[in-house]
């Protein structure tokens, strides 16, 4: 389906913004001091991100198809029926939306970020916005992000072959549940970016926001959650083209 360029840009801003608002919001809720959801745990975080995908993709769907992820855009543009001409518009909307969502999450938790001023007990805040590997090994982390993204994008492409899933809206629900499953199963090593915009946009925002005791933005690692998911998107498209 072909969408107008302006609709794509606006749709991806709104959809990716909702994704990151709810995703970064749930991590802030679980990690920041003085939050009612503090110490809610990994299951809470994975479901929060899944619901973020649900809200973002459903909302953006009528305007742009609801990619809300450059890895998905890359895979769709790479397939036989793909069209690269509007991919830059998707990428721009996704990055702007991710940054906007991160700013909104920061505003929601303004008081909690402000309470994180005690230098002796302050927690680094980058993990609220972007991913941090549990064990830093760039090659292994890259492989993890690539595989996890294939596990996301290949089913997304395959779902499109089942008649009625897209028009009924069930496809978006299935993708949201898939993201929860990936977080539970494959998210432990890196925090499962599986989406370049979701990681890069908030990392930029973390760099510039006046957050107390925020720590560094870890730009040395930032290439992994960008190139890993993009690689996974290309691989998923290749598998799809051969197998389906």
């Amino acid at each position: 389906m072909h969408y107008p360029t302006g609709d794509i840009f606006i749709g991806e801003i709104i959809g990716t913004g909702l994704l990151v608002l709810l995703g970064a919001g749930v991590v802030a809720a679980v990690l920041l001091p003085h939050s009612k959801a503090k110490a809610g745990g990994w299951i809470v975080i994975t479901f929060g991100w899944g619901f973020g995908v649900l809200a973002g993709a459903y909302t953006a769907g009528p305007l742009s198809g609801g990619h809300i992820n450059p890895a998905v855009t890359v895979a769709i543009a790479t397939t036989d029926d793909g069209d690269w001409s509007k991919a830059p518009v998707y990428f721009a909307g996704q990055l702007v939306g991710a940054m906007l969502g991160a700013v909104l999450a920061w505003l929601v938790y303004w008081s909690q970020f402000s309470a994180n001023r005690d230098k002796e007990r302050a927690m680094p805040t980058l993990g609220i916005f972007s991913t941090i590997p549990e064990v830093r090994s760039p090659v292994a982390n890259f492989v993890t992000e690539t595989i996890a993204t294939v596990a996301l994008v290949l089913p997304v492409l395959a779902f499109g072959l089942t008649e009625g899933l897209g028009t009924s809206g069930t496809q978006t629900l299935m993708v949201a549940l898939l993201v929860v499953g990936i977080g539970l199963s494959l998210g432990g090593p890196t925090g499962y970016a599986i989406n370049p915009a979701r990681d890069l946009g908030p990392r930029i925002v973390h760099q510039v926001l006046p957050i107390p005791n925020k720590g560094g933005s870890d730009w040395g690692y930032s290439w992994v959650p960008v190139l890993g998911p993009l690689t996974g998107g290309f691989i998923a498209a290749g598998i799809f083209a051969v197998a389906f």
Side-chain angles (χ1 to χ4, degrees), residues 8 25 48 52 54-55 59 81 154 165 203 207-208 225 232 235 240 243:
I8 291 172
L54 190 71
T59 306
D81 296 330
L154 183 58
L165 280 183
R203 197 180 297 269
Q207 176 72 44
V208 301
I235 293 173
F240 180 78

Side-chain angles (χ1 to χ4, degrees), residues 138-230:
V139 173
N141 302 148
F142 176 84
V143 170
T144 296
E145 285 292 335
T146 299
I147 293 172
T149 306
V150 172
L152 168 67
V153 176
L154 183 58
V156 168
L157 295 174
F159 292 161
L161 298 178
T162 302
E163 186 176 356
L165 280 183
T167 54
S168 68
T170 309
Q171 179 176 347
T172 302
L173 175 61
M174 292 172 68
V175 173
L177 293 174
L178 175 60
V179 170
V180 173
I182 289 171
L184 293 173
S185 301
L186 307 177
T190 62
Y192 74 116
I194 60 175
N195 181 334
R198 162 264 178 277
D199 195 276
L200 179 59
R203 197 180 297 269
I204 294 170
V205 167
H206 180 266
Q207 176 72 44
V208 301
L209 283 178
I211 303 171
N213 295 319
K214 66 180 178 180
S217 300
D218 197 7
W219 288 103
Y221 178 76
S222 63
W223 66 272
V224 173
V226 172
L227 295 185
L230 290 176

Side-chain angles (χ1 to χ4, degrees), residues 56-91:
Y58 267 128
T59 306
L63 293 172
S64 65
H67 294 191
I68 65 172
N69 183 342
V72 172
T73 301
V74 159
I76 291 174
T78 304
T79 57
D80 290 339
D81 296 330
D83 179 2
W84 282 95
S85 64
K86 293 185 178 178
V89 181
Y90 276 96
F91 296 154

